[in-house]
Amino acid sequence: MDVASSQLAGAGNSQVPLPQTSLAEDVFLERQRHWREYLERDNRSNPDMEEIQRIIATKAESARLVISVDHIREFDAEAAAQLMAEPAETIPALEAAATEIARSAAAASGIDAALLQVL
């Protein structure tokens, strides 16, 4: 029996197995969640979300989302430092979060969300 299947959720006699994910997947999902919080932050002016909305509204096929590291630093200096120190590990989670948000916003606007890919 492997470790993951021997661990059980809950207390007492509960027999619900915990989902099996790798540490790398867990780290990626946590980073993606953090970037989603950054992009969806509730500020008076959120230039990144405004740009995502503009791209969707204009249905720009070749638009690019450029995110300022200064904006990230204002939100979370540690995340900005991590982005600069480990871009190969950090940027894919930011791209995934931005793509997820853009697709949700596009779908809410009646636009084919499958056409959106944030790179």
Side-chain angles (χ1 to χ4, degrees):
M1 178 185 309
D2 63 23
V3 174
S5 63
S6 68
Q7 296 176 351
L8 300 176
N13 295 328
S14 175
Q15 296 295 317
V16 179
L18 294 173
Q20 295 181 354
T21 59
S22 72
L23 180 59
E25 289 172 315
D26 291 343
V27 169
F28 179 86
L29 292 172
E30 177 59 26
R31 286 179 176 163
Q32 183 179 1
R33 182 201 55 77
H34 185 75
W35 290 120
R36 188 173 176 94
E37 286 177 9
Y38 163 74
L39 290 168
E40 293 180 323
R41 67 195 183 280
D42 187 23
N43 291 346
R44 290 185 186 168
S45 176
N46 184 335
D48 302 313
M49 280 302 292
E50 290 171 6
E51 184 63 11
I52 289 171
Q53 293 295 335
R54 186 198 65 76
I55 290 168
I56 291 168
T58 61
K59 299 178 185 174
E61 293 180 18
S62 62
R64 296 178 188 251
L65 176 62
V66 178
I67 297 176
S68 169
V69 73
D70 291 330
H71 295 159
I72 296 170
R73 193 174 293 115
E74 290 172 11
F75 175 75
D76 184 344
E78 187 177 316
Q82 182 181 39
L83 176 64
M84 300 301 288
E86 301 176 340
E89 292 80 16
T90 307
I91 291 174
L94 176 55
E95 289 173 342
T99 299
E100 182 180 332
I101 290 168
R103 286 184 175 163
S104 293
S109 299
I111 297 170
D112 184 4
L115 301 175
L116 295 173
Q117 175 65 41
V118 178
L119 299 173

